Amino acid sequence: MNPLELILKRRVHPRAFVPETLFSLTARYACPTISGNSEGGPMAERISPTLRRRRLAARLRQLREQAGLKVEEVARVVEWTPSKVVWIEGNRGKRPNPRDVRDLCDAYGVGDEREREYLVQLARDGRQRGWWDPYDAMLSERYATYIGLEAEAAEVLNFEPLMIPGLLQTADYARALFRGPFSEIGKEEAEARVEVRLKRQEALHQKPPLRLVAILDEAALHRQVGGPDVMRAQLEHLLEATKLPRVTIQVIPYGAGAHPSMTGGFAVLKFPEPDDPTAVYVDTPAGQLFIEEPGEIDRFQVAFQHLLGSAASPGDTITLLADMARA
């Protein structure tokens, strides 16, 4: 059974991240603050408020557990409803308030001023606007979270069986996907979605650049999305992408036969700090799923390694792309 079927069979709930991995003191206090244009302009470094909120939620939950307090006990001490504590620890709802973080530090007896300031700074950073925020109205909550995490991920391992990965699509290819014959998306929204897709791709060129390992089924290269001219330009774009130092593209040829993920694509996100847990994102017709259980994540990572074993080498993939682009 492939990983996606396993996840769906077990009915993994697509809940928000509540990571439990602990942070090292070095990693905590070395974290930079967010800089850049609060209106979503380019940033010198790839720093995401989404990841900051995720770290904050994890650390606050850990501190409560270390203090031996139940959610209801914390709520009585800080005079909140229990649901507010749950939402903060679950990284849901409103962006974190630095004042609330100070209250929780008091309740948990956090006396280390460096850690208190670090947590408050995470809250401040978590309140910043990501470049994707202006598009919130058209993005699902989970897709917006994925974009936010991808914005600071160190590496993305992406398998797509039927289409070109979003990080490698041309504008015309993406436009053809969003404006397909059965699409219910209007022209204006489609153009906004194309903008989002192209902005995501800036991570491949920023500091430090995102490491992308993309595996495509050969079927994705033959499907005439947008017509022959659009596909030819897309193939040429893939060839150019292979020249980027931190991008690897490999194709699973038809001749490879069956492989471990015939039923759907997925993306594995890994982060710069080892204490930020790996996450898996799966987009299905029923909606998006985030997977955070270590055992399930391991299955996706093993599946990806098997896909690498089925795929043509990067060099052979370049030859295939070049031949198809010239055809």
Side-chain angles (χ1 to χ4, degrees):
M1 183 179 296
N2 70 57
L4 178 56
E5 290 173 332
L6 181 65
I7 295 299
L8 295 177
K9 181 178 179 181
R10 294 187 180 184
R11 301 183 181 274
V12 172
H13 185 68
R15 58 192 181 281
F17 287 107
V18 187
E20 298 181 11
T21 303
L22 309 186
F23 299 98
S24 67
L25 288 174
T26 301
R28 280 186 226 150
Y29 301 136
C31 179
T33 58
I34 288 179
S35 61
N37 188 332
S38 64
E39 294 302 316
M43 294 189 295
E45 297 187 8
R46 296 176 50 239
I47 299 175
S48 166
T50 305
L51 190 57
R52 296 296 182 268
R53 294 195 293 271
R54 188 181 186 226
R55 287 179 182 171
L56 177 63
R59 182 58 180 154
L60 290 175
R61 178 179 178 180
Q62 181 198 15
L63 287 170
R64 176 179 62 78
E65 291 173 345
Q66 287 179 343
L69 296 172
K70 296 181 180 179
V71 168
E72 294 76 12
E73 294 172 324
V74 174
R76 284 197 296 272
V77 170
V78 295
E79 298 182 336
W80 296 348
T81 62
S83 61
K84 180 174 179 177
V85 180
V86 171
W87 278 78
I88 288 176
E89 290 187 359
N91 189 19
R92 307 172 207 156
K94 296 181 179 179
R95 297 169 192 254
N97 187 316
R99 184 181 299 106
D100 290 343
V101 172
R102 292 191 188 95
D103 289 344
L104 290 174
C105 284
D106 291 340
Y108 302 152
V110 179
D112 187 329
E113 286 301 323
R114 293 184 307 161
E115 176 153 26
R116 291 175 67 97
E117 181 52 35
Y118 169 77
L119 294 172
V120 169
Q121 188 61 53
L122 284 181
R124 294 191 188 107
D125 289 348
R127 294 175 69 83
Q128 297 289 327
R129 288 166 55 86
W131 63 257
W132 54 92
D133 280 8
Y135 303 93
D136 264 355
M138 68 176 191
L139 301 176
S140 71
E141 180 181 351
R142 294 187 183 94
Y143 184 46
T145 298
Y146 172 78
I147 292 173
L149 293 177
E150 181 187 75
E152 199 177 343
E155 182 177 38
V156 172
L157 311 178
N158 191 188
F159 168 67
E160 291 294 346
L162 297 176
M163 67 179 182
I164 307 301
L167 287 170
L168 298 172
Q169 292 175 8
T170 66
D172 286 339
Y173 183 97
R175 190 173 291 113
L177 287 175
F178 293 133
R179 294 287 287 161
F182 301 105
S183 173
E184 298 179 354
I185 298 175
K187 182 177 180 180
E188 184 176 343
E189 181 175 340
E191 288 303 315
R193 288 179 178 271
V194 171
E195 287 180 15
V196 170
R197 192 138 297 183
L198 297 182
K199 283 180 176 291
R200 285 175 53 205
Q201 296 174 11
E202 293 177 6
L204 300 174
H205 307 278
Q206 289 177 332
K207 175 185 175 183
L210 173 67
R211 167 74 172 137
L212 172 64
V213 181
I215 301 179
L216 295 72
D217 193 291
E218 187 176 349
L221 304 179
H222 289 280
R223 189 171 301 281
Q224 294 294 300
V225 175
D229 291 341
V230 170
M231 279 307 300
R232 185 174 298 107
Q234 177 64 71
L235 292 169
E236 292 170 351
H237 182 71
L238 290 176
L239 281 169
E240 287 299 312
T242 63
K243 299 176 184 178
L244 293 174
R246 294 180 63 79
V247 173
T248 300
I249 302 174
Q250 293 180 243
V251 172
I252 299 178
Y254 285 142
H259 56 72
S261 294
M262 299 284 288
T263 58
F266 60 90
V268 179
L269 294 91
K270 300 185 177 184
F271 301 95
E273 297 295 341
D275 293 317
D276 285 328
T278 297
V280 172
Y281 176 81
V282 183
D283 195 355
T284 77
Q288 299 93 2
L289 298 175
F290 273 120
I291 314 300
E292 62 163 335
E293 297 295 335
E296 308 297 359
I297 289 173
D298 287 345
R299 290 181 174 88
F300 278 93
Q301 296 194 97
V302 168
F304 196 84
Q305 292 303 312
H306 288 319
L307 289 167
L308 283 173
S310 299
S313 69
D316 289 344
T317 293
I318 290 173
T319 300
L320 173 62
L321 292 172
D323 290 344
M324 292 185 66
R326 287 194 298 265

